[in-house]
Amino acid sequence: MTQQAEPGAIPEAVPADGKAESGDGADAASRTGAAVGSGSGSKEAPRAQGRVMHPDGFGAAFCASMAALCAEAAVAGTLGVLVMLSREHEGLPHGLMMIAAVVFVLVLLGVLVSGFVTAAVVMPALALARRVTRRPGRRDGPLWNAAAVPVVSAAAVAVFGGVSALGSLSPASPVKYLLWWASLTAALLPATLIAGVAGRRVREGRATRMARRVSRDGALAWLAVGAVGAAVYGSGLVSVYQPPRFETEQLAGTWTDGRGGTVRLAEDGAAVADGLDNYVWDGTGKDRPKDCDGAGTWKPVKDGGKVEGMSLRIGSCELKRNWSVSGTVKEPRLYHEIGKPGSGKRYVLTKIVKHKK
């Protein structure tokens, strides 16, 4: 009976007598299979290793950029609060629950904004740098990443500035666009450099924890800034702003709104308005100013025995307003809010001080 060979089988050398031992044939077959297996493995292994050891590092760069932007926002916000405490301000939120709610909202907003900025500006800057360095002789590095930031920032300012100009039908001045570009570039430069380092470490096959490191260093920087600010205010080098406290006679005098409107407050409680703006409800949801002229009365508004404002009544124009004190002792101001509550809009009067010659 004739035995047929399998297709693709490699013929073995047959001894002269036509006989071959089964053990030798098995060894030859095993060597042949090993050679074939090693040949296929040599082709697949480098590809698989390239896929595993050399990813693009997108996720690491994205997370590192978000961590850097959040750290920058926390430090900048703390510095802003410390500076605001020494100047005239509306006051900080009171109560544990209110403070916790404000902090939660700010943290959530910071994470969302940092993610948006990373996707819209930081990652395009890294992509631009990698695209430029694809040419022979160029290597991706911090200098190329830093050089790409002003270009992408200019594009972002152009896009958002153009949209804002179309919405308001009045483009901003070139100086403002230049300031926006410079501020955006300065804010994005650290995050872009850190993200570039994180992505390059992953592409080189090295373990990276840049986001964790940046978060740790950012937290330490935030604590340091807070500690320095607390020491400065606690030592008395800088004082927290307090609205000026006046006596009744200190409110007497002439106050102006800077646009021709004045009110004269006499020490006996009489008041005379001349062109003073009286904001009244116009039925459309807005307060419209109307000139108020005439005589009336005023009296101080006290809290705990200290004067914190004044109440003004002018009967001829139905003006009835309570004014709060702001400014400083040397430059006092009276104001009341206009528009919707919490709008931040004020009608401000400044006292005319007659300097002695």
Side-chain angles (χ1 to χ4, degrees), residues 2-77:
T2 304
Q3 183 178 2
Q4 296 181 355
E6 296 180 0
I10 299 176
E12 297 292 339
V14 182
D17 56 358
K19 297 180 180 179
E21 295 181 2
S22 59
D24 296 338
D27 292 342
S30 62
R31 288 195 300 269
T32 303
V36 174
S38 62
S40 61
S42 62
K43 295 179 181 180
E44 296 295 334
R47 296 178 182 178
Q49 184 178 6
R51 288 195 296 269
V52 174
M53 299 301 293
H54 301 283
D56 59 3
F58 178 88
F62 199 98
C63 293
S65 173
M66 287 187 61
L69 291 174
C70 288
E72 288 185 54
V75 173

Side-chain angles (χ1 to χ4, degrees), residues 57-350:
F58 178 88
F62 199 98
C63 293
S65 173
M66 287 187 61
L69 291 174
C70 288
E72 288 185 54
V75 173
T78 303
L79 287 173
V81 171
L82 292 174
V83 173
M84 182 190 68
L85 289 176
S86 63
R87 300 183 179 182
E88 183 179 351
H89 58 273
E90 296 293 334
L92 297 176
H94 300 283
L96 182 61
M97 295 300 296
M98 180 62 69
I99 295 176
V102 171
V103 170
F104 175 77
V105 172
L106 291 178
V107 171
L108 180 61
L109 184 63
V111 172
L112 294 176
V113 172
S114 65
F116 172 77
V117 173
T118 297
V121 185
V122 174
M123 300 309 294
L126 294 179
L128 176 62
R130 291 180 64 179
R131 188 176 185 85
V132 172
T133 54
R134 285 180 180 177
R135 296 182 180 181
R138 296 179 180 177
R139 184 179 181 183
D140 184 14
L143 292 179
W144 289 105
N145 294 336
V149 174
V151 178
V152 179
S153 298
V157 171
V159 172
F160 288 101
V163 173
S164 177
L166 291 175
S168 60
L169 299 180
S170 58
S173 62
V175 177
K176 288 186 177 181
Y177 289 120
L178 183 61
L179 291 176
W180 292 348
W181 170 78
S183 301
L184 186 61
T185 300
L188 295 178
L189 190 58
T192 304
L193 293 176
I194 292 173
V197 172
R200 187 167 61 255
R201 286 175 62 89
V202 171
R203 292 195 301 273
E204 292 175 354
R206 294 183 292 169
T208 178
R209 297 181 178 87
M210 289 296 296
R212 186 181 302 176
R213 294 179 181 179
V214 172
S215 300
R216 179 198 61 194
D217 295 342
L220 292 176
W222 174 72
L223 291 175
V225 170
V228 172
V232 169
Y233 280 100
S235 62
L237 294 176
V238 180
S239 300
V240 178
Y241 170 81
Q242 294 291 340
R245 303 283 185 169
F246 295 118
E247 300 296 334
T248 303
E249 58 271 13
Q250 291 178 298
L251 289 177
T254 303
W255 299 76
T256 178
D257 61 2
R259 301 190 299 270
T262 60
V263 58
R264 294 188 297 274
L265 306 178
E267 293 185 2
D268 60 358
V272 178
D274 182 13
L276 198 68
D277 288 344
N278 182 22
Y279 287 84
V280 296
W281 187 263
D282 64 354
T284 63
K286 297 181 180 180
D287 285 335
R288 301 291 183 181
K290 294 182 179 180
D291 287 345
C292 179
D293 303 309
T297 60
W298 74 278
K299 63 180 181 179
V301 175
K302 298 183 178 181
D303 183 14
K306 296 182 179 180
V307 177
E308 291 192 341
M310 68 99 177
S311 176
L312 180 64
R313 302 289 186 270
I314 305 295
S316 59
C317 53
E318 298 182 354
L319 187 151
K320 297 180 181 180
R321 291 283 186 177
N322 287 338
W323 303 68
S324 300
V325 176
S326 66
T328 62
V329 176
K330 295 182 179 180
E331 297 181 357
R333 292 192 294 269
L334 294 172
Y335 74 91
H336 68 77
E337 290 189 355
I338 58 178
K340 296 181 180 180
S343 63
K345 298 181 180 179
R346 293 178 172 183
Y347 181 46
V348 182
L349 301 178
T350 305

